[in-house]
Amino acid sequence: MATSSPAATAAASVATDPPAPRRTSKLLIGLVAALGLAAAGAAAYVFVAPRFTDAAAAETAKAPVPEKPIFVLLEPLTVNLQSEGRSRFLQIGMALKVRDERAKAQIVEFMPELRSRLLVLLSNRAPESLVTSEDKARLAAEIHSALNAPLADGLPELGIASVSFNSFVVQ
């Protein structure tokens, strides 16, 4: 009987054992595939996402941003109206929408003259001509024309965009 040394037995068992399974190569292939998919997703995000955000930003930029309106409130006016027999009056409060701060400053500066224009314009009215909403719209257009007229020769119009009533009482 031959005795063998422990080193020889280990060498013989290694030579007779079947080879190790190729599990590590399958794991390596799966890992490389996952990294490839992650890289493709990152590339898609980098190249495609800005197009959508740029399109959204362009849509937002195209939409006009409404400007903040500038109003000048006038103190209420009370004027006598033309009527047969009994006295009638109109009490009216209004706001002027102006185009810019320069127009607002000019209106405030010339307010006494503008109030005088309003009193003359309103005092020659018959009470029946101020009843319907069409009458009020017509009156607003007349007030707009009268107040928007230049204050002196050589000066531009005042820059009044519209006239709004905030109180309107005929008695």
Side-chain angles (χ1 to χ4, degrees), residues 13-29:
S13 69
V14 169
T16 59
D17 286 341
R22 296 192 169 209
R23 208 182 316 170
T24 56
S25 63
K26 288 181 181 178
L27 183 62
L28 185 61
I29 291 172

Side-chain angles (χ1 to χ4, degrees), residues 86-105:
R86 63 181 215 206
S87 64
R88 308 269 314 252
F89 68 91
L90 168 68
Q91 182 180 26
I92 187 170
M94 64 187 84
L96 306 175
K97 183 178 181 182
V98 296
R99 293 187 178 102
D100 54 20
E101 288 293 331
R102 183 197 60 80
K104 180 179 179 180

